[in-house]
């Protein structure tokens, strides 16, 4: 406590003479600047380097630990931040060491991977994105921040916003899908949710947008693999999602493991300094990914750790995650004049600014509140939001003969499949501090709903990835006894996420066999899918009467899915990533180019066209796809005018009618195609969407306003503007099923 007072008095003492000199000039920023300058002046080079080092506690980690002596490092002033340490008592003790046992009493920042919830786990981010509901996404991050701060954390390694067009890559589960426009809105919403109204609030955390940059485009979908693309693609498709986070005020950025065109991100000065700091005006701090400075050696751009540290500091990195390269080499690099102390000062200043903004110098224990820890975790309100979120993330992929919702007269349900009752899997990868025992499985969700009025027979049928058939005949006889069958199939949670790329993204093991035998009984059957990526389920789509995509729904997965299965919630989710017909089509995504030899839709196998000999070009389910228990019809599109000047607005509207017999939500999507550009343009680009609620029988008019500037693209000289010319505008229920109209920009 004594130390705390001395820190507070340091702030007060420093600010007093300043305020006497010039009352008006004392802004919070100038106060902060003065405080930080004073502190920096007192710091030795070693203490400064300590601030640039981030170490994991021994709780959990995602890579080899280079240093296990983190408490000693804190005590010696050799750590500026710690990650993978939470809960109030643990954090308080580590913070106590930092503020009471180090010379300058500088508090630590506490970071953690809070990717889809902290204790209350929400659906995986790819699933969340299927809601297209940025308000819900923002709210989920607000809840995550409340829970995380109640357990001592003040920094999250999120949002992960990497655009990806390759479902083989396991980390697609963490992102917002393949589209840059939607991904950017989600990115900003997540930052706002985490950082709240002010970083100085005790329930806000510093967000960390990652992985900068283009980590989602590894060759062949293999994690950590090479990224190589044109500047145009980088700027147009991959960078805007990070920029959206910067514009939303994100406090930190994490570098990515990959190289881009030969330069690893962690040593890429153009990326980290010229673009991020100078052009985008990012004023927070840059942290590496786990040990990625050390990885500059196997990347082959540094011969040893000292050189790796030099390259990354000079590129613009402020904090070394777990690598110890800064800690072990920056002092000698300063002595040998390879690195200037001024560049170290700049990095330290950014870390201290973050600590100041969090209010840690005023109260290093502000996130160590036992009362909050007891009261603000997994509240009934948070759980009920998680349930709604799990339901709203579901995407109805198929529903032949209105198999779903489960009819009221069903008396016996056979629940079959390896994911029917797996608590652990409901968490998905990156499950923060989520606990499997707190998760509701599908079986439990069904039991909660029917409360004994429906008989539920459960048979596993096979394991998730078992080689041989097992229990399949028991599953078949359970199906025969039932009047409705639910097949809970998919991946285990560890089959997606980091270091979880797959070359075969079909249903693992013998699950397809199980499905075939069970569906052959002819009983009404719905497949409930659990997975972290688009799967190739073309065969399943042919035979299953109904398929509901539920991702990994988090703590309340079972309840949320059951709400959808019984029709208490009408599914409205739409895919944010294309589901391929087969793995050979990958990458297959909606906003591709037309090519000089576009496929002939009348004859998809015509020779010398851009197609395959053995597969159509179209995917199984396109971007934006998702059904409802009701049906919607779209009128033709109306425009306010069919030709606009550069400073006019285009207003496009459609009448949408709910033609089925249930109320429902529809995500109405607007796409544009620029027919002739200075460079080639995609066949469609999402430019706007609206989620509307329609009562059965209701018709609403949905209008969108488009400004010519929103049709800008990168020209040959990389200038960003819109051209006059002819455009097509599409409005529809998904990226393929649309109405079309033409317009001009003069
Ligand atoms: C991941 C990051 C994560 C970090 C810390 C790395 O392996 O790539 O996304 O934030 O570990 O856990």
């Amino acid at each position: 406590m004594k130390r705390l007072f001395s820190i507070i008095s340091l702030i007060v003492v420093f600010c007093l003479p300043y305020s006497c000199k010039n009352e008006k000039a004392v802004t919070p920023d100038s106060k902060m600047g003065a405080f930080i300058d004073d502190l920096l002046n007192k710091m030795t080079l070693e203490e400064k380097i300590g601030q640039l080092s981030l170490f994991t506690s021994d709780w959990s980690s995602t890579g080899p630990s280079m240093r296990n002596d983190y408490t000693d490092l804190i005590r010696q002033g050799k750590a500026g931040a710690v990650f993978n340490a939470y809960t109030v008592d643990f954090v308080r003790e580590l913070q106590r060491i930092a503020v009471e046992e180090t010379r300058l009493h500088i508090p630590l920042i506490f970071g953690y991977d809070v990717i889809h919830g902290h204790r209350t786990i929400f659906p995986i981010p790819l699933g969340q994105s299927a809601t297209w509901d940025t308000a819900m996404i923002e709210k989920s991050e607000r809840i995550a921040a409340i829970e995380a701060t109640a357990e001592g954390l003040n920094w999250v390694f999120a949002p992960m916003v990497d655009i990806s067009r390759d479902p083989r890559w396991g980390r697609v589960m963490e992102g917002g899908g393949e589209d840059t426009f939607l991904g950017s809105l989600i990115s900003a919403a997540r930052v706002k949710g985490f950082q709240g109204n002010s970083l100085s609030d005790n329930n806000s955390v510093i967000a960390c947008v990652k992985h900068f940059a283009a980590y989602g485009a590894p060759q062949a979908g293999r994690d950590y693999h090479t990224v190589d693309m044109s500047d145009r693609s980088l700027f147009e498709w991959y960078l805007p999602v990070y920029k959206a986070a910067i514009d939303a005020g994100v406090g930190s950025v994490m570098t990515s493991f990959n190289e881009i065109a030969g330069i690893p991100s962690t040593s890429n000065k153009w990326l980290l300094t010229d673009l991020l700091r100078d052009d985008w005006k990012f004023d927070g701090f840059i942290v590496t990914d786990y040990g990625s400075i050390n990885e500059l050696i196997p990347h082959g751009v540094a011969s040893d750790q000292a050189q790796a540290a030099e390259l990354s500091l000079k590129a613009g990195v402020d904090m070394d995650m777990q690598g110890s390269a800064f800690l072990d080499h920056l002092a000698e690099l300063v002595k040998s004049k390879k690195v200037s102390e001024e560049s170290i000062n700049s990095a330290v200043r950014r870390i201290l600014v973050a600590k100041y903004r969090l209010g840690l110098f005023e109260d290093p224990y502000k996130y160590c509140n036992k009362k909050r820890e007891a009261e603000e975790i997994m509240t009934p309100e948070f759980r009920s939001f998680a349930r709604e979120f799990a339901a709203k993330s579901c995407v109805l992929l198929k529903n032949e003969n209105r198999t779903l919702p489960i009819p009221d007269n069903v008396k016996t349900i056979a629940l079959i499949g390896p994911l029917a009752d797996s608590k652990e899997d409901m968490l998905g990868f990156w499950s923060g501090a989520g606990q499997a025992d707190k998760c509701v499985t599908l079986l439990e969700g069904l039991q909660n709903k029917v409360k004994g009025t429906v008989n539920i027979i459960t048979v596993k049928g096979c394991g998730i990835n078992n080689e041989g058939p097992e229990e399949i005949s028991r599953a078949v006889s359970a199906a025969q006894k039932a009047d409705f069958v639910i097949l809970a199939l998919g991946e285990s949670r560890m089959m997606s996420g980091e270091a979880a790329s797959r070359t075969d993204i079909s249903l693992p093991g013998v699950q397809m066999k199980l499905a075939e035998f069970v569906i052959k009984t002819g009983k009404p059957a719905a497949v409930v899918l659990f997975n972290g990526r688009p799967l190739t389920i073309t065969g399943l789509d042919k035979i299953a009467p109904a398929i509901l995509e539920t991702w990994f729904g988090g703590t309340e997965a079972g309840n949320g899915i059951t709400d959808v299965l019984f029709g208490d919630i009408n599914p409205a989710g739409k895919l944010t990533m294309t589901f391929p017909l087969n793995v050979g089509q990958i990458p297959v995504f909606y906003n591709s180019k037309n090519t000089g030899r576009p496929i002939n839709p009348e004859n998809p196998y015509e020779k010398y066209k851009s197609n395959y000999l053995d597969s159509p070009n179209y995917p199984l389910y396109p971007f934006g796809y998702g059904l409802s228990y009701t049906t919607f019809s779209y009128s033709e599109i109306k425009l306010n005018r069919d030709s606009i000047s550069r400073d006019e607005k285009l207003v496009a509207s459609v009448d949408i009618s709910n033609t089925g017999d249930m109320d429902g939500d529809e995500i109405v999507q607007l796409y544009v195609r620029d027919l002739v550009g200075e460079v080639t343009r995609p066949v469609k680009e999402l430019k706007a969407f609206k989620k509307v609620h329609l009562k059965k029988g209701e018709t609403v008019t949905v209008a969108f306003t488009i400004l010519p500037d929103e049709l800008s693209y990168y020209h040959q000289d990389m200038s960003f503007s819109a051209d006059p010319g002819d455009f097509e505008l599409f409005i529809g229920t998904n990226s393929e099923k649309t109405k079309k109209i033409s317009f001009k920009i003069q």
Side-chain angles (χ1 to χ4, degrees):
M1 211 44 170
K2 217 166 82 204
R3 296 301 200 287
L4 175 58
F5 283 133
S6 64
I7 291 167
I8 295 171
S9 47
L10 188 71
I11 302 173
V12 174
V13 168
F14 205 94
C15 298
L16 273 181
Y18 198 85
S19 55
C20 297
K21 248 194 280 165
N22 183 351
E23 198 73 65
K24 277 195 189 136
V26 184
T27 62
D29 270 6
S30 65
K31 263 189 180 178
M32 176 176 76
F35 172 78
I36 286 168
D37 285 346
D38 181 60
L39 189 52
L40 253 175
N41 283 336
K42 296 190 174 116
M43 293 171 84
T44 63
L45 179 61
E46 282 65 30
E47 284 165 335
K48 290 176 188 172
I49 294 167
Q51 288 302 305
L52 308 186
S53 302
L54 163 66
F55 291 104
T56 178
S57 86
D58 44 10
W59 273 26
S60 60
S61 66
T62 51
S65 182
M66 288 89 174
R67 308 283 300 229
N68 290 322
D69 48 348
Y70 66 99
T71 40
D72 295 338
L73 293 171
I74 298 171
R75 196 166 280 117
Q76 293 157 21
K78 290 182 174 170
V82 168
F83 67 122
N84 295 329
Y86 54 91
T87 64
V88 165
D89 289 340
F90 188 29
V91 168
R92 179 178 281 278
E93 173 53 14
L94 298 181
Q95 192 69 298
R96 188 200 60 74
I97 299 175
V99 298
E100 292 193 12
E101 298 189 26
T102 65
R103 191 179 75 91
L104 291 171
H105 325 300
I106 301 175
L108 296 165
I109 298 177
F110 288 88
Y112 195 46
D113 287 288
V114 177
I115 308 295
H116 50 116
H118 177 63
R119 286 280 177 190
T120 307
I121 301 302
F122 303 114
I124 57 166
L126 184 63
Q128 294 183 16
S129 71
T131 63
W132 299 48
D133 188 334
T134 51
M136 255 195 133
I137 291 172
E138 181 177 334
K139 184 168 172 188
S140 75
E141 302 302 26
R142 191 83 289 281
I143 293 173
I146 291 170
E147 291 192 338
T149 52
E151 288 205 307
L153 295 164
N154 41 39
W155 183 25
V156 292
F157 302 143
M160 187 284 206
V161 299
D162 304 320
I163 291 295
S164 186
R165 295 165 165 179
D166 195 331
R168 292 171 299 182
W169 190 50
R171 299 195 80 167
V172 298
M173 55 78 49
E174 281 175 68
E178 72 190 33
D179 184 63
T180 309
F181 175 78
L182 178 59
S184 300
L185 296 175
I186 292 175
S187 171
R190 292 198 188 281
V191 172
K192 284 186 209 142
F194 281 131
Q195 299 196 164
N197 295 329
S198 163
L199 281 184
S200 63
D201 292 344
N202 72 353
N203 61 17
S204 288
V205 288
I206 294 183
C208 181
V209 67
K210 68 187 189 186
H211 306 81
F212 195 60
Y215 180 40
Q219 287 172 357
R222 201 175 83 204
D223 208 0
Y224 318 123
H225 202 356
T226 308
V227 173
D228 201 355
M229 64 172 75
S230 69
D231 282 355
R232 186 163 292 102
S233 292
L234 187 63
F235 275 90
E236 190 152 346
W237 306 121
Y238 290 89
L239 291 179
V241 282
Y242 311 102
K243 174 74 162 45
I246 308 299
D247 292 344
V250 74
S252 63
V253 171
M254 186 184 292
T255 67
S256 55
F257 287 125
N258 55 282
E259 66 166 72
I260 306 176
I263 309 176
S265 301
T266 305
S267 62
N268 194 328
K269 180 178 169 296
W270 169 77
L271 189 67
L272 304 183
T273 299
D274 303 353
L275 181 73
L276 182 58
R277 291 219 180 273
D278 298 347
D279 292 356
W280 292 1
K281 309 285 174 234
F282 171 62
D283 70 349
F285 66 98
I286 301 174
V287 64
T288 68
D289 203 344
Y290 200 107
S292 64
I293 299 181
N294 315 58
E295 292 180 13
L296 297 179
I297 303 168
H299 266 299
V301 296
S303 54
D304 55 24
Q305 277 198 25
Q307 193 191 1
E310 177 186 344
L311 286 176
S312 47
L313 189 87
K314 285 182 171 165
V317 167
D318 300 309
M319 191 181 259
D320 171 2
M321 184 195 286
Q322 192 62 15
S324 203
F326 277 3
L327 192 60
D328 295 343
H329 301 285
L330 282 184
E332 81 205 29
L333 288 166
V334 172
K335 275 174 210 127
S336 62
K337 302 214 173 349
K338 287 193 172 144
V339 157
S340 70
E341 186 154 356
E342 193 34 58
S343 60
I344 291 182
N345 288 348
S346 306
V348 176
R349 191 174 276 111
R350 293 188 191 111
I351 309 299
L352 297 178
V353 164
K355 295 184 176 185
Y356 190 100
R357 287 191 177 145
L358 285 169
L360 288 172
F361 288 111
E362 279 178 67
D363 179 3
Y365 302 110
K366 71 182 272 200
Y367 304 93
C368 298
N369 181 330
K370 292 288 270 186
K371 188 164 178 303
R372 281 196 60 208
E373 186 174 47
E375 291 172 0
E376 296 185 19
I377 305 265
M378 295 197 95
T379 65
E381 186 207 331
F382 295 169
R383 287 198 76 131
S384 104
F385 176 77
R387 175 177 186 154
E388 186 188 346
F389 210 10
K392 293 201 165 158
S393 297
C394 291
V395 183
L396 184 63
L397 298 175
K398 186 173 177 193
N399 198 19
E400 206 174 67
N401 301 326
R402 304 179 66 188
T403 305
L404 286 173
I406 298 171
D408 290 342
N409 57 2
V410 163
K411 289 278 161 282
T412 302
I413 294 176
L415 175 61
I416 296 167
L419 284 135
D421 196 24
S422 167
K423 283 180 175 289
E424 182 82 30
D425 286 305
M426 295 307 99
L427 291 169
F429 199 81
W430 290 122
S431 46
Q435 293 152 283
D437 62 345
K438 299 266 173 26
C439 287
V440 180
T441 65
L442 180 53
L443 174 63
E444 290 166 331
L446 289 169
Q447 284 164 340
N448 294 342
K449 179 77 76 187
V450 302
K451 297 197 175 66
T453 59
V454 174
N455 180 27
I456 302 172
I457 320 170
T458 322
V459 179
K460 210 167 164 196
C462 63
I464 292 176
N465 207 7
N466 279 11
E467 293 301 320
E470 184 192 293
E471 277 200 323
I472 290 187
S473 54
R474 278 190 57 215
V476 170
S477 62
Q480 276 156 349
K481 284 185 211 123
D483 37 12
F484 197 93
V485 176
I486 301 174
L487 275 156
L489 308 177
E491 300 180 301
S492 75
R493 75 184 194 110
M494 299 308 281
M495 287 180 175
S496 60
E498 186 172 353
S501 295
R502 297 177 66 201
T503 57
D504 173 359
I505 55 168
S506 61
L507 281 176
V510 295
Q511 294 186 64
M512 187 58 201
K513 276 257 146 332
L514 174 70
E516 279 166 5
F517 279 107
V518 169
I519 291 168
K520 234 188 251 160
T521 61
K523 292 294 169 108
V527 174
V528 173
L529 280 181
F530 297 88
N531 45 293
R533 57 158 62 78
L535 299 175
T536 49
I537 45 165
T538 308
L540 185 69
D541 176 80
K542 285 205 181 91
I543 59 168
I547 306 177
L548 184 70
E549 172 60 73
T550 71
W551 318 104
F552 295 112
T555 312
E556 286 286 332
N559 286 330
I561 297 165
T562 305
D563 289 340
V564 174
L565 290 175
F566 278 91
D568 300 313
I569 290 190
N570 188 350
K574 304 270 192 177
L575 297 177
T576 59
M577 235 185 136
T578 305
F579 273 48
L581 268 182
N582 52 62
V583 91
Q585 290 182 319
I586 296 171
V588 54
F589 49 95
Y590 86 94
N591 47 355
S592 59
K593 299 292 184 71
N594 200 39
T595 81
R597 293 189 178 193
I599 194 167
N600 175 3
E602 308 300 316
N603 178 9
Y605 294 103
E606 191 180 316
K607 195 73 181 159
Y608 304 114
K609 294 286 186 186
S610 180
N611 51 21
Y612 300 98
L613 290 178
D614 56 355
S615 164
N617 285 5
Y618 57 76
L620 177 60
Y621 309 121
F623 175 83
Y625 174 84
L627 305 171
S628 165
Y629 292 153
T630 190
T631 47
F632 300 102
S633 76
Y634 282 64
S635 71
E636 295 305 319
I637 305 169
K638 288 185 224 98
L639 295 181
N640 59 335
R641 42 202 304 184
D642 54 15
S643 178
I644 54 164
S645 65
R646 292 298 301 269
D647 45 19
E648 282 175 324
K649 291 177 184 154
L650 183 77
V651 181
S653 57
V654 280
D655 294 335
I656 296 166
S657 306
N658 181 340
T659 48
D661 56 8
M662 256 181 105
D663 299 351
D665 290 341
E666 167 74 335
I667 300 170
V668 186
Q669 302 156 40
L670 181 148
Y671 299 85
V672 171
R673 176 172 183 186
D674 185 345
L675 288 174
V676 181
E678 193 190 272
V679 300
T680 60
R681 304 298 303 139
V683 292
K684 257 172 208 164
E685 283 176 86
L686 181 71
K687 289 291 173 188
F689 62 89
K690 272 185 191 159
K691 193 169 191 170
V692 287
H693 181 76
L694 279 92
K695 299 217 163 304
K696 62 177 173 191
E698 194 184 0
T699 297
V700 294
T701 302
V702 177
F704 297 95
T705 302
I706 302 289
L707 303 173
D709 275 354
E710 291 166 3
L711 309 174
S712 299
Y713 67 92
Y714 289 93
H715 286 63
Q716 289 187 13
D717 64 358
M718 291 302 283
S719 60
F720 188 67
S721 61
D723 293 339
D726 292 319
F727 292 81
E728 284 173 347
L729 184 147
F730 311 82
I731 299 181
T733 186
N734 63 55
S735 61
E736 277 183 5
K737 198 170 164 208
T738 55
K739 301 283 181 180
K740 182 165 97 174
I741 199 164
S742 301
F743 71 97
K744 251 185 206 320
I745 299 183
Q746 292 142 16

